[in-house]
Amino acid sequence: MATRRRLAALILVLSVVLSGCAADSAAFQTTADENDTNTTTETTVAPTTTEVNVTEKYSVPVEGDDLPVDADRTFARVQALVGTNVEPQSVTVREGTARSNTADYYTSRSFFRIMGLDETNYSTKGASGVTYRDGEVRLTTREASDAEVERVLAHEFIHTVQMRSGMTESLNRESAVSRSTDASLVRQALVEGGAVYVTDSYSEQFQSPTVHQSDVVAEEYESGPAGNRYLWAPYHFGYRYVAATVDSPDELDTAYENHPETTEQLIHNYGPAEEPALDLELSTDDSGSWFRTDADTKGELVTRIVLRSQLSRARAAAAASGWGNDRLYVYEHSSGRTTGLAWALRWDDADEADEAQAAFRSYAAKHGDDSEASVQVERVTRETLVVFAGDDEFVDNAYAAGSDDEVEVAIDNRTTAGADVAFPAGPAPNDGGGTTTGVYSSP
C-alpha cells in the first residue's frame, strides 16, 4: 500500500493522474480561508444554484485524524448536484502542519529552470486533498475552518464521482496515448475545471457565506509568480471551459464529450475540429557534443505562461494566441554539466509569427536581468521560429533551418542543419535581418 501511494503521488506531480488536486506533494490549496483576506478572494452572494433535494444516504469510511465535517452528508450532496449514484471510497484524514511554499520538482526540470518558470510562492496553510485513481481521498486539514475543509472534501468527492461514474474514462485512455505537456494539461484542466465548477455550485447551495473556488483560483493564477501560474492554469482555464460548456452540475458529463485536444482549443472554447494543430516536425543532428534527451509539445497555454513571466498579461496572451504547433527538444552536453533547449514554434500565419518573434525578443531581453542562461530567437520561415535557450555554449552553436512544417536543428555544426531542406532566401518578413540574443537565468 505504501508503495502504491508513493507512486500515485509522484504521478500526480507529473500531471498524469487525472484526479488529484489539492495535493501535499504539489503544496497548494483549492479553497479560500475565510479568516485570511490577504491571500484569497471571497465573494459573498445569495445562492444561485437550483435547489437540490438530497435524498440518498451514504456511509463514507473515514480513517486517521478527526474530520470536522460530515463526510456522509458531503458525499450525498455532491452526488445530488451531479446526478450520479456511485459508492463512496475511503477518506484518510491527517491534521498536518505548515508546508513548504516552494516546489523542488520545478527546479529539477530543465524547461522550468531555463525558461524561468521555477519561481513559486505557494500558500503554506489551508486544507488540501488528493484523490487517487480508485476514488480514495486523502485530506489534510491544517487547522482550516470547517467550511474550507468541507469545500476541499467536496472537490475531492467530485473527483471520486468523475472516476467511478466513468465520465472521465475516455480521458484516462487518451492519457496512455498522448504524453505531451499540452495534452496532459488539457486532460488535467477538464478534470479539475469540472471539480471547481461543481464546488462553486456546492458552496452556493449549501454554504453561507458562499466562497467561489473559481475566484480563488483566478486570483492565484493572476497574482502569483510564473511557477504558481503554471500550477493554477489547468484549474483556471479548465473552469472557464466547463462553465462555458455546461449549464448545471448535472450536465458535467457532457463536458467530456467532443472535448478540446489542445490547450489552444481549451483556452478559446473550441471543439477538437476547430483550429487543429498545424503540421510541424522537428529533427536534429546528434553528431556533436550535444545529445537530445527529451522531446515534448508545450502548447499555447505554456507559451503564454512563459511570455507572461516577463511581459504584460495582454501582450503575452495576444502573442501566444497565434500558436499553431510546437516541438521542444532538450539537449545535454556529453560532459553532463550543461543543458540546452531548442523550441520550434509554428504560428497560424506570418503576421502572428512576427508578433510572437517580437514578444520572445522582449522576453529574452527582460529575462537577461535575472538569469545566467542565454536565449536566442531565430526566424526560420514566414510562419516558424526557433527559441534556443540554455548555456552560452549551446546557444552560440545552435542553428535551425527548414520549412513551415519541417524544421531541423543542429548544435556544434552550423553546416549540418538544413542539408536536405530549403533555407529561406533572405530574412523573414519583419525579421530585422538577424536573430536576437538576450541573457537571463514544476506544483
Side-chain angles (χ1 to χ4, degrees), residues 295-355:
D296 197 5
T297 295
K298 294 300 183 182
E300 179 177 331
L301 183 52
V302 173
T303 303
R304 177 190 289 204
I305 294 170
V306 168
L307 292 173
R308 175 78 183 278
S309 67
Q310 293 298 327
L311 307 181
S312 69
R313 171 185 176 183
R315 188 178 183 191
S321 66
W323 181 93
N325 204 347
D326 74 74
R327 287 295 289 164
L328 173 81
Y329 281 175
V330 179
Y331 292 85
E332 184 174 321
H333 193 267
S334 57
S335 66
R337 293 192 298 268
T338 53
T339 306
L341 308 174
W343 191 12
L345 300 107
R346 184 177 180 183
W347 307 90
D348 290 335
D349 54 44
D351 289 340
E352 297 284 6
D354 291 343
E355 183 177 18

Side-chain angles (χ1 to χ4, degrees), residues 42-47 151 200 203-205 207-212:
E42 201 175 284
T43 305
T44 302
V45 297
R151 284 191 300 276
D200 276 2
S203 186
E204 290 176 357
Q205 180 72 51
Q207 292 189 317
S208 180
T210 293
V211 174
H212 286 118

Side-chain angles (χ1 to χ4, degrees), residues 119-172:
E119 182 184 357
T120 58
N121 185 22
Y122 303 139
S123 173
T124 60
K125 58 184 179 179
S128 62
V130 60
T131 306
Y132 295 94
R133 282 188 181 275
D134 57 6
E136 292 183 39
V137 172
R138 184 170 64 191
L139 191 72
T140 305
T141 57
R142 292 193 188 84
E143 299 183 345
S145 68
D146 290 359
E148 179 182 351
V149 171
E150 185 177 358
R151 284 191 300 276
V152 172
L153 183 61
H155 185 115
E156 301 308 325
F157 279 157
I158 295 159
H159 289 320
T160 300
V161 167
Q162 286 170 325
M163 290 180 295
R164 299 194 68 82
S165 68
M167 68 175 66
T168 57
E169 184 176 353
S170 64
L171 300 180
N172 292 331

